[in-house]
Amino acid sequence: MRSGVIAQKIGMTRVFTEAGEHVPVTVLQLAQCQVIAHRTKDKNGYVALQLGSGPRRTNNMSKADRGYFGKANVEPKRKLAEFRVTEDALIPVGAEITADHFVPGQFVDVCGISIGKGFAGGMKRWNFGGLRASHGVSISHRSIGSTGGRQDPGKTFKNKKMPGHMGVERVTTLNLKIVQLDVERGLILVEGAVPGAKGGWITVRDAVKKALPKDAPKPGKFRVSETTAAPAAEAPAQQEGA
């Protein structure tokens, strides 16, 4: 099992196939996605890679966080995430994962934070049908109707679908196809829509329900510089949300 990557959503565009058909794609960019630390079975009870992406100003960090990134000899990162991997898929600390970690035509699972919609009614939030357009219904055409009985059951049950806050939730979209890669600019073009707003942080990993292509690099595609080569960091760092 290979590691995933942390990417930033740039926006949507389209690409044309050789037959002249256009394919809507979402552009994801790898902003210096580097390995920060290893999680080992002996010390942590599981095997994983901690990745970081995006620049972060040091004057907004605590001394402990600065020391954590300094021990890994990696520039401070804005977004951190962990990916479970097998022991044969560990990537050296300080290595930067490139866009050709994936291959065109491969299916991936994409996870992000959905766009916030604020307070939404039942029709928008839960796709309720609403009340009738006439025959006694006045003003309350978009209301949700009854939420419970009187004597029986005499209450509103828990988890009843009602109006409330919509969006800003962790959403995973499965089996999205990679259309193109731009290794020099670190761009990954994924077919279809990806959850989240422009500029939001997205995690991309190999599809769980699809077979990994035979030409996919193992344990992955990355570059290692001499200045970032360092032993794995041990102390956990506080993650910052997108």
Side-chain angles (χ1 to χ4, degrees):
M1 184 168 61
R2 304 192 314 157
S3 171
V5 298
I6 306 173
Q8 196 168 17
K9 182 176 178 180
I10 303 302
M12 292 196 69
T13 182
R14 63 177 178 172
V15 296
F16 289 90
T17 63
E18 295 180 355
E21 300 176 347
H22 81 92
V23 180
V25 295
T26 302
V27 182
L28 305 177
Q29 185 177 29
L30 299 182
Q32 294 183 347
C33 182
Q34 290 182 282
V35 180
I36 305 298
H38 290 170
R39 299 290 181 256
T40 60
K41 199 165 186 178
D42 295 336
K43 186 167 186 178
N44 306 105
Y46 63 98
V47 180
L49 288 177
Q50 185 185 58
L51 304 184
S53 184
R56 186 177 177 186
R57 297 179 62 181
T58 56
N59 58 350
N60 293 333
M61 299 172 54
S62 64
K63 188 176 181 180
D65 286 346
R66 290 197 298 268
Y68 179 71
F69 289 105
K71 186 175 182 180
N73 200 16
V74 175
E75 293 184 359
K77 302 297 181 182
R78 183 180 177 188
K79 178 67 177 179
L80 298 179
E82 282 191 7
F83 295 92
R84 294 287 186 100
V85 297
T86 53
E87 294 183 356
D88 59 346
L90 289 174
I91 298 176
V93 173
E96 180 182 352
I97 301 179
T98 55
D100 51 353
H101 181 77
F102 304 101
V103 294
Q106 176 184 350
F107 289 91
V108 293
D109 296 339
V110 181
C111 183
I113 304 299
S114 62
I115 298 176
K117 303 295 183 180
F119 190 96
M123 294 182 68
K124 181 175 181 179
R125 190 184 187 196
W126 302 111
N127 199 27
F128 284 177
L131 275 59
R132 302 179 67 176
S134 60
H135 291 278
V137 178
S138 177
I139 302 177
S140 56
H141 301 283
R142 295 181 61 87
S143 65
I144 64 173
S146 175
T147 60
R150 299 181 71 179
Q151 183 174 348
D152 183 20
K155 64 177 181 180
T156 299
F157 289 107
K158 281 186 177 182
N159 302 321
K160 170 65 180 175
K161 294 180 179 178
M162 300 179 71
H165 184 270
M166 181 180 177
V168 196
E169 295 179 339
R170 184 182 175 91
V171 178
T172 301
T173 305
L174 304 178
N175 302 332
L176 295 181
K177 188 177 181 180
I178 293 181
V179 179
Q180 286 184 8
L181 298 173
D182 189 336
V183 181
E184 295 183 358
R185 295 189 292 176
L187 301 180
I188 303 175
L189 276 61
V190 181
E191 183 178 358
V194 169
K198 293 181 181 179
W201 295 103
I202 307 294
T203 58
V204 185
R205 66 171 188 265
D206 297 334
V208 176
K209 298 181 179 180
K210 296 285 187 178
L212 183 67
K214 294 181 180 180
D215 55 346
K218 296 179 181 179
K221 200 71 173 180
F222 54 90
R223 64 171 69 100
V224 181
S225 61
E226 297 179 357
T227 58
T228 57
E234 299 177 355
Q238 184 177 1
Q239 297 191 14
E240 181 175 336

